[in-house]
Amino acid sequence: MKPDGLLKNSVFRLIIIGIILTGVLILVPTGYEDALIYKDAERVKAEILSVDNTSIRSSGLIQSGEQKCEILVKSGLFKGKEIEGVNLLTGSLEEDKIFDVGDVCLATISHSGEEVTSCILTDHYRLDKEIILLGLFFALLIIFAGKNGFLAIFSFVITILTVWKVLVPAYLNGANPVWTGINITIFLTIIIIFFVYGFDKRTLSAVLGSLLGIFTTCIMGIIFTDLFKIHGAVMSHSESLLYSGYQDLNLTSVFMSSIFIGASGAMMDLSVDITSAVNEVVEKKPDIGWKEAARSGMNVGRAAMGTMTTTLLLAYSGSYITLLMVFMAQGTPIDHILNYKYVSSEILHTVIGSFGLVTVAPFTALVSAFMLTKKR
């Protein structure tokens, strides 16, 4: 068979595998589909027809009370009906929202049969915009990356479904967060790199390199989380989870798993870069020895490690810009800043993730050079 035919067959098999995995994950039940909060309630799209702000109490930037709105239901059982909805304000700028006439919102309608008992305006309706954004992203992937971009969409979707359908329910059900996280990360690493290279020796070398970094990050994360005396409650919304009836969860172990899960993407990226570089060298110079190929891989790894470490730093600290502004505005001493628990946790994320990257580079260079050169 011609190389083009082999390539087409390989891509076709990858697509079939992607469709099967996606379908299986979609069908997997989380066990939380019938959560009590959503019984006898319907989530609908609605348009704001009028607003009543007389019950809102303002104190500077803070608003509390409730905003009453007349809404036109756009979907669901009560489609076409005009009902009154309530927007509850808690005094939190982070969580509160104010509606204007003409806005489209997501509302939760509680009902008894066909009779509406209450209607809470959850938030502005963004699902249609999110679909458009994802569509543009997928289109751009396919236009610029072709078949690789199309396969990357499967990796993207499978990762989301695996985290939501497998990882999160397992944690809620009390599974060991570290072991569960390791197993899920191994699965995703294999799947994601498999969709890059397909049935190829490059897949094995990149996977092995990534896993070494992941295991290193896992071990160091466990050790230094304990040494830093970091409690898992440092994670956003973790206390809300405890108060929701899950007080037996080991949040510290969840935090430990978040360290290597969060860094695994960068480690996969680096291992794929090095494997591809070594493969390119071997293809251009088939008689190259494995030592020389490994040196070429290491040269690529050295250049990439500097930017990857910075990538981790920016990824983890980007959401803390306002916190840094608070520290500077209040004149907080730098030793106090670095010693705070939530700052220490981000330092832990960044530095431990960087340790993983440092181990990924040489190991991937050695494995890929050994596997991809003709001489052993």
Side-chain angles (χ1 to χ4, degrees):
M1 186 178 288
K2 294 181 179 180
D4 287 345
L6 288 171
L7 181 61
K8 288 179 180 178
N9 284 340
S10 176
V11 172
F12 180 74
R13 286 197 296 269
L14 290 175
I15 291 173
I16 294 298
I17 292 171
I19 292 172
I20 292 173
L21 279 174
T22 303
V24 169
L25 287 168
I26 289 173
L27 295 175
V28 168
T30 64
Y32 294 87
E33 288 82 4
D34 295 324
L36 183 61
I37 190 173
Y38 293 118
K39 286 188 176 179
D40 298 321
E42 189 175 37
R43 296 169 300 286
V44 299
K45 178 181 178 182
E47 180 184 351
I48 305 295
L49 300 179
S50 65
V51 297
D52 179 4
N53 297 332
T54 56
S55 299
I56 296 178
R57 298 182 297 277
S58 300
S59 177
L61 294 174
I62 305 302
Q63 294 180 309
S64 58
E66 61 182 33
Q67 181 188 36
K68 297 178 181 178
C69 304
E70 279 292 324
I71 65 171
L72 174 63
V73 181
K74 294 281 192 176
S75 62
L77 181 64
F78 302 98
K79 181 178 180 180
K81 289 189 176 182
E82 296 182 11
I83 60 178
E84 184 181 87
V86 177
N87 173 28
L88 300 175
L89 303 174
T90 62
S92 169
L93 290 174
E94 180 183 3
E95 298 180 2
D96 288 345
K97 62 278 172 190
I98 295 292
F99 296 104
D100 296 315
V101 174
D103 285 349
V104 179
C105 69
L106 183 67
T108 302
I109 300 176
S110 298
H111 59 92
S112 177
E114 296 185 1
E115 182 181 350
V116 176
T117 55
S118 67
C119 176
I120 302 297
L121 306 185
T122 308
D123 212 326
H124 290 88
Y125 190 83
R126 303 182 180 95
L127 300 181
D128 50 351
K129 286 84 175 177
E130 291 173 355
I131 291 172
I132 292 172
L133 185 62
L134 276 175
L136 290 173
F137 171 60
F138 290 160
L140 201 64
L141 266 179
I142 294 172
I143 290 170
F144 286 100
K147 65 176 182 65
N148 290 330
F150 188 75
L151 294 173
I153 294 173
F154 281 114
S155 300
F156 186 84
V157 173
I158 289 170
T159 301
I160 293 174
L161 289 173
T162 302
V163 170
W164 181 248
K165 290 276 195 165
V166 182
L167 184 68
V168 174
Y171 281 2
L172 287 174
N173 291 332
N176 185 292
V178 172
W179 284 110
T180 304
I182 279 288
N183 289 328
I184 293 296
T185 307
I186 291 172
F187 168 75
L188 289 177
T189 299
I190 294 171
I191 291 298
I192 291 168
I193 296 177
F194 174 72
F195 278 115
V196 174
Y197 292 129
F199 299 93
D200 197 285
K201 288 185 291 185
R202 292 172 295 174
T203 301
L204 182 58
S205 62
V207 166
L208 290 174
S210 298
L211 292 182
L212 177 72
I214 291 168
F215 291 144
T216 301
T217 306
C218 175
I219 294 169
M220 295 193 68
I222 292 171
I223 294 171
F224 280 91
T225 297
D226 185 55
L227 291 176
F228 277 33
K229 304 295 183 185
I230 301 292
H231 191 278
V234 74
M235 296 180 291
S236 298
H237 304 294
S238 56
E239 289 189 52
S240 299
L241 183 62
L242 294 179
Y243 300 147
S244 299
Y246 294 92
Q247 62 271 13
D248 294 329
L249 289 179
N250 189 339
L251 290 180
T252 303
S253 293
V254 175
F255 174 80
M256 291 174 182
S257 68
S258 73
I259 296 174
F260 60 81
I261 291 174
S264 62
M267 287 183 275
M268 279 185 264
D269 190 10
L270 182 57
S271 66
V272 167
D273 287 344
I274 295 173
T275 301
S276 296
V278 172
N279 183 69
E280 191 70 18
V281 169
V282 171
E283 286 191 347
K284 292 292 188 294
K285 191 178 178 182
D287 59 340
I288 191 173
W290 72 269
K291 291 182 180 180
E292 188 179 351
R295 280 196 295 271
S296 298
M298 274 304 303
N299 290 334
V300 174
R302 289 189 189 100
M305 273 190 287
T307 55
M308 282 294 178
T309 302
T310 309
T311 299
L312 285 178
L313 174 63
L314 294 174
Y316 289 134
S317 63
S319 59
Y320 284 85
I321 295 299
T322 51
L323 178 61
L324 297 176
M325 293 168 66
V326 170
F327 288 147
M328 182 168 288
Q330 294 180 346
T332 308
I334 190 67
D335 57 334
H336 282 54
I337 294 174
L338 295 177
N339 203 59
Y340 285 136
K341 181 166 60 175
Y342 38 87
V343 175
S344 298
S345 68
E346 293 306 314
I347 292 173
L348 195 61
H349 268 287
T350 304
V351 178
I352 296 299
S354 299
F355 266 101
L357 289 174
V358 171
T359 56
V360 162
F363 189 72
T364 306
L366 288 170
V367 172
S368 58
F370 182 77
M371 296 185 66
L372 300 177
T373 53
K374 291 184 178 180
K375 295 180 181 179
R376 292 291 182 260

